[in-house]
Amino acid sequence: MAASIARVAEPPRRIPLDRAAFRWAGVEARDYKSRAGDAPGMSWQALTRHTIGPPGAAFETRYFELEPGGYSSLEKHRHVHLVFAVRGRGRALVGDSVFDFEGLDAIYVPPLTPHRWMNAGEEPFGFLCTVDAERDRPQPLDEDELAALRANPATAPYAF
Amino acid sequence: MAASIARVAEPPRRIPLDRAAFRWAGVEARDYKSRAGDAPGMSWQALTRHTIGPPGAAFETRYFELEPGGYSSLEKHRHVHLVFAVRGRGRALVGDSVFDFEGLDAIYVPPLTPHRWMNAGEEPFGFLCTVDAERDRPQPLDEDELAALRANPATAPYAF
């Protein structure tokens, strides 16, 4: 686990949440990705990424926040997701399912399963997302995958 | 990452939280540990462990719940913790600090840092705790560590 060994541990600390701003102390909001995706389905809108930590682990926990109307890119990768809704109301396209979730409901995304996160409400939607520290890069869906999602009435609205 | 490869992925799923019972669907409450600790500091009381997942990852996310008066063992290990309070009010002894936390406040526990989790309120206290899937076993504190915590007025009440 090279990622763990290479990191330097920090002192114990409390990372308080400012509940009005919904921001953890010392955790910066960053762009979701460094650039917009060009491949079909890889567009995204109005979301930020906040990497909370921890140093010295084989995993990373991030907070993602989507403004009303916001959505992530429709992508897949080998690493799995375990996500907990912590602010507002969200919707997830995962494989051939669409799940609404809020209030600490969790969503599991298996390997190589197409998925997209969306804000389903009028307030910001935020979720905690933990992933392996060493992980593969997200990939666009292939044409067959996109076609299947577009042919399924449940997933079609989100397969743009 | 043998732990990742050995596991079988499951289908996508939503894991809803029953907010009245504060239980995730299909996630069993288990004993915190299989037996009480005999070494100094290793006693614990009134807490349960709920392993939420995910399969196929280099990490595990667990929910721990402590009844009023409950506490975990005072221990250390090489693997780090990143913990989020999600129910009630908690207190953490971490190294030579004592932190109160609640409402999605996070606590980081560095490698080999003595720590104990406690309920600081009159309601159940629960936190999400993510750890490396491959990790070392918790160890009792050595005599010098216990003596230092007992000599420090801030930590002494919790170094039993």
Side-chain angles (χ1 to χ4, degrees):
Chain A
M1 304 229 201
S4 312
I5 293 164
R7 295 181 190 192
V8 175
E10 295 177 4
R13 63 192 180 106
R14 177 171 175 270
I15 310 167
L17 176 69
D18 175 335
R19 277 174 271 283
F22 223 98
R23 292 290 179 265
W24 281 269
V27 177
E28 284 177 51
R30 296 181 180 276
D31 286 343
Y32 166 60
K33 294 181 177 177
S34 54
R35 59 183 186 78
D38 297 326
M42 292 295 274
S43 68
W44 53 272
Q45 182 170 289
L47 73 164
T48 52
R49 177 172 53 91
H50 311 239
T51 301
I52 300 172
F59 64 90
E60 276 185 4
T61 297
R62 298 93 45 89
Y63 171 68
F64 291 92
E65 191 171 272
L66 290 72
E67 295 300 312
Y71 54 86
S72 65
S73 51
L74 179 54
E75 62 185 34
K76 61 181 180 178
H77 38 67
R78 290 199 173 276
H79 63 275
V80 306
H81 282 312
L82 182 66
V83 154
F84 291 85
V86 293
R87 182 183 199 187
R89 294 174 44 231
R91 184 166 296 150
L93 164 60
V94 188
D96 55 7
S97 300
V98 175
F99 301 118
D100 281 6
F101 68 130
E102 65 183 318
L104 290 170
D105 294 332
I107 303 276
Y108 170 64
V109 180
L112 294 175
T113 306
H115 58 281
R116 166 169 269 161
W117 310 104
M118 295 160 279
N119 189 329
E122 306 299 319
E123 303 293 329
F125 165 61
F127 61 90
L128 293 173
C129 174
T130 300
V131 287
D132 292 353
E134 293 187 41
R135 59 188 180 273
D136 60 324
R137 293 184 73 84
Q139 309 165 39
L141 274 54
D142 63 35
E143 286 182 19
D144 288 351
E145 288 169 321
L146 267 177
L149 292 177
R150 288 172 176 162
N152 176 345
T155 55
Y158 314 112
F160 51 83
Chain B
M1 305 225 203
S4 313
I5 293 163
R7 294 181 190 196
V8 175
E10 296 177 3
R13 62 191 180 105
R14 178 171 174 269
I15 310 167
L17 177 69
D18 176 334
R19 278 174 272 283
F22 222 98
R23 292 292 179 264
W24 280 271
V27 177
E28 282 179 51
R30 295 181 180 277
D31 285 342
Y32 166 61
K33 293 181 177 178
S34 55
R35 60 183 184 78
D38 297 326
M42 292 295 274
S43 68
W44 52 272
Q45 182 170 290
L47 73 163
T48 51
R49 179 171 51 92
H50 310 238
T51 301
I52 301 172
F59 64 90
E60 277 184 4
T61 298
R62 298 91 46 89
Y63 171 67
F64 290 93
E65 192 170 271
L66 290 72
E67 295 300 312
Y71 54 85
S72 65
S73 51
L74 177 54
E75 62 185 35
K76 62 181 180 178
H77 39 65
R78 290 199 174 275
H79 63 276
V80 306
H81 282 310
L82 182 65
V83 154
F84 291 85
V86 294
R87 182 183 199 187
R89 294 173 45 230
R91 184 166 297 150
L93 164 61
V94 189
D96 56 7
S97 301
V98 175
F99 301 118
D100 280 6
F101 68 130
E102 64 184 319
L104 290 171
D105 295 331
I107 303 276
Y108 170 63
V109 180
L112 293 175
T113 305
H115 57 280
R116 165 169 270 162
W117 311 104
M118 293 160 280
N119 189 330
E122 306 299 320
E123 303 294 328
F125 165 60
F127 60 90
L128 292 174
C129 174
T130 300
V131 288
D132 293 353
E134 293 187 41
R135 59 188 181 273
D136 60 325
R137 295 184 72 84
Q139 309 164 38
L141 275 55
D142 63 35
E143 285 181 20
D144 288 351
E145 288 169 321
L146 266 177
L149 292 177
R150 288 172 177 162
N152 176 343
T155 54
Y158 313 113
F160 49 83

